[in-house]
Amino acid sequence: MAIILVSLLGYTAITISNYGWNLLPIFFGDMRAMTWPGQFNFDFMGFLLLSGLWVSWRHRFSATGLILGAVAVFGGMMFLSLYLFIASTQAKGDVNELLLGKSRLCD
């Protein structure tokens, strides 16, 4: 997770220095154009939404869970790599706890 996070931060920094922060018009413009980059963006957007939904569900759609879910959607792998690192450390190797969250283990 650390390697992914650091690599992605570096790649993002270079991209921002070359193209600025103007991601959304490019992201949605590629989808509107119905090109392969647009298809990839549409597919990736599905992963982002699923990630946000899972994080929110894992926190039982609480206020904190909804905020973390929104951050997952907009933060992508930079958020999820850090989130999974922290959650896996807290779960101490318990995959059920990692996937379901501590509060769902007793259900």
Side-chain angles (χ1 to χ4, degrees):
M1 290 300 150
I3 292 169
I4 291 170
L5 178 60
V6 170
S7 300
L8 192 53
L9 284 170
Y11 194 99
T12 303
I14 293 168
T15 303
I16 289 170
S17 71
N18 290 331
Y19 298 99
W21 288 90
N22 207 16
L23 166 67
L24 294 180
I26 296 168
F27 185 83
F28 290 110
D30 284 343
M31 284 194 282
R32 191 173 33 256
M34 300 294 286
T35 61
W36 278 115
Q39 187 280 338
F40 179 84
N41 290 354
F42 190 68
D43 185 274
F44 177 60
M45 189 172 67
F47 279 107
L48 291 172
L49 293 172
L50 186 59
S51 168
L53 184 62
W54 172 71
V55 170
S56 295
W57 174 84
R58 188 175 182 272
H59 291 274
R60 296 185 172 266
F61 295 101
S62 64
T64 300
L66 293 173
I67 291 167
L68 287 171
V71 174
V73 170
F74 292 102
M77 195 60 196
M78 276 193 266
F79 167 79
L80 197 60
S81 62
L82 188 58
Y83 179 84
L84 286 173
F85 179 76
I86 292 168
S88 63
T89 301
Q90 291 173 342
K92 297 182 179 107
D94 185 344
V95 176
N96 288 328
E97 182 178 333
L98 175 62
L99 294 175
L100 301 175
K102 193 171 197 114
S103 66
R104 291 187 185 272
L105 292 177
C106 299
D107 289 353

